[in-house]
């Protein structure tokens, strides 16, 4: 199996090779799938992210959440491997922060992890079991276990792989969205079937 560092290099190279139009089409397709999810429609607080280094943009979702009057949260880097969720009332509140990524201004209100209903999570690569390879800092792996949120990974189609290498503390996803559609992990599919009205 390809090691994590080699996988990250390969995925970053493939993202860098995409043109602006390809990126925009992929982002539009992913948002189209996301907004059809019942969990997204019903979420009162949605955590998203500001795309960096060729990650798939979810700005359309951020604007949609704000326009609907719901709560939008974005991550703020608090230190090595540690982040918090901050309420963003407008994208003008974002500032260039750690690693050159746009983040909420430090004055933005903190949102407790258990107040987040749905988390849209970036990743270098995912697999159909919901395993995720991040950028290597462990921020989401430390943050997500404290939430009750539905975890939705977002990536380009080429970043959804048959299997990705993981370790026990890696935070898994409930679903992964690519431009081609939504894939629920086996555990989440079973839970959704159990929740369906009889």
């Amino acid at each position: 199996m390809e090691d994590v560092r080699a996988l990250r290099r390969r995925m970053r190279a493939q993202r860098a090779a995409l043109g602006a139009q390809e990126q925009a089409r992929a982002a539009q397709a992913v948002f189209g799938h996301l907004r059809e999810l019942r969990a997204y429609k019903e979420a009162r607080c949605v955590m998203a992210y500001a795309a960096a280094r060729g990650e798939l943009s979810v700005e359309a979702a951020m604007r949609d959440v704000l326009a609907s009057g719901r709560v939008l949260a974005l991550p703020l880097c608090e230190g090595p491997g540690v982040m918090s969720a901050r309420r963003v009332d407008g994208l003008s509140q974002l500032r260039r922060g750690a690693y050159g990524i746009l983040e909420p201004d430090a004055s933005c209100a903190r949102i407790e992890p258990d107040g987040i209903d749905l988390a849209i999570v970036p990743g270098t690569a995912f697999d159909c079991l919901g395993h995720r390879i991040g950028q290597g800092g462990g921020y989401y792996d430390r943050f997500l276990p404290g939430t009750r949120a539905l975890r939705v990974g977002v990536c380009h189609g080429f970043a959804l792989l048959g299997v990705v290498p993981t370790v026990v503390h890696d935070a898994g996803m409930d679903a992964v969205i690519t431009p081609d559609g939504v894939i629920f992990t086996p555990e989440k599919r079973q839970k959704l079937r159990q929740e369906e009205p009889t």
Side-chain angles (χ1 to χ4, degrees):
M1 183 186 297
E2 186 176 19
D3 70 39
V4 172
R5 282 178 289 187
L7 178 59
R8 285 197 182 103
R9 286 195 298 270
R10 182 163 66 87
M11 291 293 107
R12 288 168 182 164
Q14 287 186 250
R15 291 200 310 248
L18 295 174
Q21 287 186 328
E22 290 174 289
Q23 285 276 19
R25 280 195 297 267
Q28 184 178 20
V30 163
F31 176 56
H33 299 308
L34 176 67
R35 68 184 174 192
E36 294 304 315
L37 291 181
R38 188 175 83 176
Y40 174 78
K41 294 175 183 176
E42 295 178 352
R44 292 165 296 176
C45 177
V46 175
M47 184 172 183
Y49 65 90
R53 298 186 292 274
E55 290 174 337
L56 207 149
S57 172
V58 293
E59 184 175 327
M62 291 193 282
R63 293 187 182 279
D64 182 63
V65 170
L66 291 171
S68 68
R70 296 180 288 168
V71 175
L72 175 65
L74 264 76
L76 174 66
C77 176
E78 302 278 1
V82 180
M83 70 185 195
S84 63
R86 300 300 181 102
R87 178 172 181 153
V88 174
D89 296 316
L91 300 188
S92 62
Q93 291 180 308
L94 301 182
R95 305 284 184 267
R96 197 69 62 182
Y99 310 107
I101 300 171
L102 287 172
E103 295 182 327
D105 187 84
S107 64
C108 293
R110 184 185 296 266
I111 294 178
E112 293 303 316
D114 63 1
I116 299 165
D117 300 307
L118 185 143
I120 307 170
V121 182
T124 299
F126 297 89
D127 66 24
C128 294
L129 296 178
H131 299 136
R132 170 183 175 270
I133 298 294
Q135 297 289 354
Y139 289 89
Y140 282 94
D141 296 322
R142 292 180 179 89
F143 180 83
L144 288 173
T147 77
R148 57 178 176 79
L150 181 79
R151 305 171 185 181
V152 179
V154 169
C155 66
H156 294 283
F158 57 76
L160 181 62
L161 307 177
V163 61
V164 297
T166 58
V167 293
V168 68
H169 66 262
D170 289 339
M173 301 293 106
D174 297 304
V176 179
I177 303 181
T178 75
D180 296 321
V182 182
I183 296 170
F184 287 100
T185 62
E187 289 179 6
K188 190 59 183 178
R189 281 199 301 269
Q190 180 63 29
K191 186 176 179 182
L192 289 171
R193 280 196 291 269
Q194 293 170 353
E195 292 173 352
E196 286 177 357
T198 55

